[in-house]
C-alpha cells in the first residue's frame, strides 16, 4: 500500500508536467499558424515539408477506411441500378414479345388483304379457335362454317403458304386438316423442273415427297406449288421448298408458319365439271359424221 501511494505521488507531478507541456506545445503551434509574417510563413512551409510526408504511414489506415466506405457506397448504388435495369429488361422483353406478335399479326392481316390471287378465286378469312394437334392427327378449328358458305375440300392458307384443306363443316365452325397430317395427300408441282409428285403428311413438320418421276431433276431449295391435278386444290398455291430430311428422303419445308396459325384464308373453289360418262376419260370425243347406227338411234 505504501509503495502504491509513493508511486502515485511520484507520477502525479510528471503527469502535470506532460499535460502542461502538451498544452503549451499546442498553443504555440496554434499561434505559429496564426501569425501573418513572411518569415513565419517560410518556417511553416519548411516545417510542413519536413514532417508531413513522414506522417503518410499514420494516415494510411484512415485513407483506406475512407476508400472502403466510398467503395461500399458505390457498390450499393451499382447494385440498386442493376436491380432496376433487370426490372426494366424484363418489362422490355414482355413488350418486345407483344410487339413481335402484333407485328406478325399485322403482317398477316395486311397480306390477307392485299395479296392478289387468281381472279376466279374468292376467299373468306377465319380465326383459328383451337389447335387439336396430336401425334396421330393434326388439325385446327376455324370460326367460319356453313353459314359462311364453307364447303368440304376447300384449300386454306395463312397468307404465306398453303396450310391444309377443310375437312368437316359445322354451322359456325369448320375443321382444317393440315398438310402435316398423316391423312393429307395433295398433288404438287416442283419448279423449275416441272416434276409432278404427291405431298404426303406423316405428322412431322416436313411432309414427304412421294411418287416423283425423276428425282435427279429436283434439287434442295426448289419451289413447291400445288399442281391443281384432280381438282383437289387450285393450281399455283405456294407450298414450300424442297429439303433433304435426316433420313435422306425428299421433304418439303413448308412456307406457312405453323407455329403461329392465328388467321386462315379459306379459298372458295368453283365446282369442277361433273363427268357423267366414265368412258370419256379414256376415249376421246368422236369428230366427224356419226356412225349409221348412232344416226339411227339419234333419229329415233
Amino acid at each position: 500500500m505504501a509503495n502504491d501511494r509513493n508511486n502515485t505521488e511520484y507520477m502525479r507531478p510528471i503527469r502535470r508536467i506532460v499535460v502542461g507541456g502538451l498544452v503549451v506545445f499546442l498553443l504555440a503551434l496554434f499561434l505559429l499558424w496564426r501569425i501573418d509574417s513572411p518569415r513565419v510563413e517560410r518556417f511553416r512551409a519548411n516545417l510542413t515539408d519536413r514532417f508531413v510526408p513522414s506522417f503518410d504511414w499514420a494516415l494510411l489506415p484512415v485513407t483506406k477506411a475512407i476508400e472502403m466506405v466510398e467503395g461500399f457506397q458505390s457498390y450499393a448504388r451499382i447494385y440498386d441500378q442493376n436491380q432496376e435495369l433487370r426490372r426494366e429488361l424484363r418489362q422490355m422483353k414482355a413488350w418486345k414479345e407483344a410487339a413481335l406478335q402484333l407485328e406478325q399479326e399485322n403482317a398477316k392481316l395486311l397480306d390477307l388483304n392485299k395479296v392478289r390471287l387468281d381472279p376466279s378465286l374468292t376467299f373468306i378469312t377465319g380465326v383459328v379457335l383451337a389447335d387439336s394437334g396430336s401425334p396421330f392427327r393434326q388439325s385446327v378449328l376455324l370460326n367460319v362454317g356453313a353459314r359462311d358458305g364453307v364447303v368440304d375440300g376447300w384449300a386454306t392458307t395463312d397468307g404465306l403458304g398453303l396450310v391444309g384443306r377443310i375437312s368437316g363443316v359445322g354451322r359456325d365452325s369448320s375443321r382444317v386438316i393440315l398438310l402435316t397430317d398423316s391423312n393429307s395427300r395433295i398433288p404438287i408441282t416442283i419448279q423449275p423442273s416441272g416434276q409432278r409428285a404427291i405431298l404426303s403428311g406423316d405428322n412431322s413438320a416436313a411432309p414427304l415427297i412421294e411418287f416423283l418421276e425423276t428425282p435427279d431433276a429436283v434439287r434442295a431449295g426448289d419451289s413447291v406449288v400445288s399442281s391443281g391435278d384432280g381438282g383437289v386444290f387450285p393450281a399455283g398455291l405456294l407450298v414450300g421448298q424442297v429439303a433433304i430430311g435426316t433420313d435422306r428422303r425428299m421433304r418439303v419445308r413448308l412456307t406457312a408458319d405453323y407455329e403461329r396459325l392465328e388467321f386462315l384464308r379459306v379459298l372458295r373453289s368453283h365446282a369442277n365439271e361433273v363427268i357423267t360418262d366414265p368412258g370419256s376419260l379414256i376415249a376421246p370425243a368422236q369428230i366427224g359424221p356419226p356412225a349409221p347406227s348412232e344416226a339411227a338411234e339419234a333419229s329415233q
Side-chain angles (χ1 to χ4, degrees):
M1 296 294 293
N3 292 332
D4 293 340
R5 189 180 299 109
N6 292 334
N7 291 335
T8 303
E9 293 177 356
Y10 175 76
M11 293 297 298
R12 188 176 299 169
I14 296 176
R15 187 182 302 142
R16 291 176 180 176
I17 294 173
V18 173
V19 173
L22 182 60
V23 171
V24 171
F25 174 77
L26 293 176
L27 182 60
L29 187 63
F30 174 76
L31 294 176
L32 179 64
W33 245 256
R34 298 292 297 176
I35 296 174
D36 187 9
S37 172
R39 292 183 179 181
V40 177
E41 182 66 27
R42 287 194 298 270
F43 177 74
R44 285 198 298 261
N46 294 331
L47 188 63
T48 302
D49 294 338
R50 175 66 180 83
F51 290 101
V52 170
S54 61
F55 279 96
D56 290 342
W57 63 271
L59 298 177
L60 184 60
V62 178
T63 304
K64 293 298 182 181
I66 294 174
E67 291 178 356
M68 290 178 60
V69 172
E70 292 178 351
F72 179 78
Q73 293 176 348
S74 177
Y75 174 79
R77 290 194 299 269
I78 292 175
Y79 178 79
D80 294 338
Q81 293 176 358
N82 187 31
Q83 294 300 316
E84 182 65 24
L85 290 175
R86 287 177 181 272
R87 287 191 293 269
E88 293 180 359
L89 182 60
R90 287 193 294 267
Q91 294 176 357
M92 291 298 295
K93 286 182 177 180
W95 282 109
K96 179 182 178 182
E97 183 66 23
L100 289 175
Q101 293 178 0
L102 290 175
E103 182 181 3
Q104 292 178 355
E105 180 177 337
N106 185 48
K108 288 182 179 180
L109 289 175
L110 291 176
D111 186 75
L112 290 173
N113 289 329
K114 294 183 179 180
V115 171
R116 300 185 62 182
L117 298 175
D118 187 341
S120 63
L121 296 176
T122 57
F123 60 87
I124 179 173
T125 301
V127 178
V128 175
L129 298 177
D131 184 353
S132 60
S134 70
F136 307 101
R137 183 177 178 86
Q138 296 190 8
S139 63
V140 295
L141 194 66
L142 294 182
N143 67 338
V144 291
R147 67 173 183 176
D148 304 295
V150 177
V151 177
D152 269 332
W154 282 1
T156 61
T157 71
D158 68 343
L160 301 176
L162 188 62
V163 172
R165 60 180 173 82
I166 299 294
S167 177
V169 180
R171 179 181 178 277
D172 301 319
S173 63
S174 57
R175 186 171 299 281
V176 178
I177 296 297
L178 304 180
L179 298 181
T180 55
D181 187 84
S182 59
N183 295 318
S184 175
R185 302 286 188 278
I186 67 167
I188 57 174
T189 301
I190 302 175
Q191 302 293 350
S193 63
Q195 293 289 310
R196 301 294 181 95
I198 298 295
L199 182 66
S200 301
D202 60 351
N203 290 332
S204 68
L208 288 169
I209 298 177
E210 296 182 336
F211 305 107
L212 187 61
E213 294 181 358
T214 311
D216 294 338
V218 178
R219 298 288 183 270
D222 288 352
S223 179
V224 179
V225 297
S226 59
S227 66
D229 294 339
V232 179
F233 287 130
L237 297 178
L238 181 62
V239 178
Q241 293 180 328
V242 176
I244 305 300
T246 56
D247 54 358
R248 309 307 301 170
R249 302 178 67 181
M250 286 191 179
R251 296 179 176 270
V252 174
R253 184 170 59 249
L254 300 175
T255 300
D257 186 3
Y258 277 69
E259 298 296 329
R260 297 181 182 276
L261 292 180
E262 299 176 1
F263 304 93
L264 291 183
R265 173 192 293 160
V266 182
L267 303 181
R268 295 189 178 99
S269 303
H270 296 283
N272 295 327
E273 181 181 359
V274 179
I275 299 176
T276 58
D277 184 8
S280 63
L281 294 174
I282 302 174
Q286 191 174 23
I287 301 176
S293 60
E294 294 179 356
E297 293 177 358
S299 61
Q300 291 177 359

